[in-house]
């Protein structure tokens, strides 16, 4: 089995050391590099070719949000998981919209952080339905109507079946659960998800979930 190549980016050397120790104990994860600021990320990625970047959201020169936006705009970009000390942080929400595959709290038990890296490497977002709802609720604001109209305009590109899959993704369901609920195979669900991402110009399932929420589909 090929090891998951992991890049660590955090401005606190003690945090990086702790993460390196934690991840080093997992036989299927290889730490290929470390960085201390967001301005180092692109060069480190070019040099180390990671599958996943575990990145602090708050750094002194270039923060994790900006680094994520820059990285995910590139072709063949690695997945990004942001680290934060807050359960519902506006910057975390922005990072998810920029293409991060999810986030983990810095006080998350080590085994769960390791599991998060594995999940993201396998293509699954690291957001439980409960956390997704919390972040989405945090995003609600005075421009909700405008945001909903724009989201519905974008989702108009989907056919009815793709729209059903998008709503199911937004509700935090796994592919197998969507397949059961919509009476299709898991392979067909994966195909629909890939088409949704391509049609809407999105990076991952988290962004599908956020768009479905913005459109008000999760309340219907």
């Amino acid at each position: 089995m090929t090891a998951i190549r992991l890049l660590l980016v955090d401005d606190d050397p003690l945090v990086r050391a702790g993460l390196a120790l934690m991840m080093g104990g997992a036989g299927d994860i290889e730490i290929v590099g470390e960085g201390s600021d967001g301005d180092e990320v692109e060069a480190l990625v070019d040099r180390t070719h990671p599958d996943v970047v575990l990145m602090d959201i708050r750094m002194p020169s270039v923060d994790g949000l900006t680094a994520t936006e820059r990285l995910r705009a590139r072709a063949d970009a690695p997945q990004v998981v942001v680290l934060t000390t807050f359960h519902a942080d506006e910057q975390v929400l922005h990072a998810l919209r920029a293409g991060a595959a999810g986030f983990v709290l810095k006080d998350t038990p080590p085994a769960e952080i390791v599991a998060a890296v594995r999940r993201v490497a396998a293509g699954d977002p690291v957001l439980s339905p409960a956390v997704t709802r919390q972040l989405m609720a945090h995003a609600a604001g005075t421009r909700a109507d405008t945001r909903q109209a724009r989201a519905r305009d974008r989702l108009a590109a989907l056919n009815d079946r793709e729209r059903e899959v998008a709503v199911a993704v937004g509700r935090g369901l796994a592919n197998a659960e969507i397949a059961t609920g919509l009476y299709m195979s898991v392979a067909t669900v994966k195909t629909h998800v890939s088409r949704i991402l391509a049609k809407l110009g999105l990076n991952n399932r988290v962004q599908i979930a956020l768009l479905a929420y913005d459109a008000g589909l999760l309340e219907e």
Side-chain angles (χ1 to χ4, degrees), residues 5-7 32-34 41 43-51:
R5 298 174 62 82
L6 179 66
L7 173 64
V32 295
E34 296 183 21
V41 171
L44 284 168
V45 167
D46 289 338
R47 187 164 66 247
T48 63
H49 306 290
D51 300 307

Side-chain angles (χ1 to χ4, degrees), residues 16-26 31:
R16 289 202 311 276
L19 290 170
L21 181 63
M22 179 192 313
M23 297 298 173
I31 298 173

Side-chain angles (χ1 to χ4, degrees), residues 51-103:
D51 300 307
V52 179
V53 179
L54 190 57
M55 180 151 50
D56 188 14
I57 198 71
R58 299 181 185 278
M59 289 181 285
S61 179
V62 174
D63 63 29
L65 169 61
T66 302
T68 297
E69 289 176 329
R70 292 176 180 173
L71 194 57
R72 293 299 299 170
R74 296 166 41 136
D76 300 320
Q79 297 293 339
V80 177
V81 179
V82 294
L83 286 163
T84 180
T85 55
F86 299 99
H87 284 269
D89 186 331
E90 184 69 20
Q91 284 190 301
V92 173
L93 181 67
H94 288 169
L96 297 178
R97 293 189 187 281
F103 78 93

Side-chain angles (χ1 to χ4, degrees), residues 165-183:
V165 172
V167 171
V169 169
R171 290 178 173 146
L173 300 181
N175 286 341
E177 294 172 317
I178 297 173
T180 299
L182 296 181
Y183 305 101

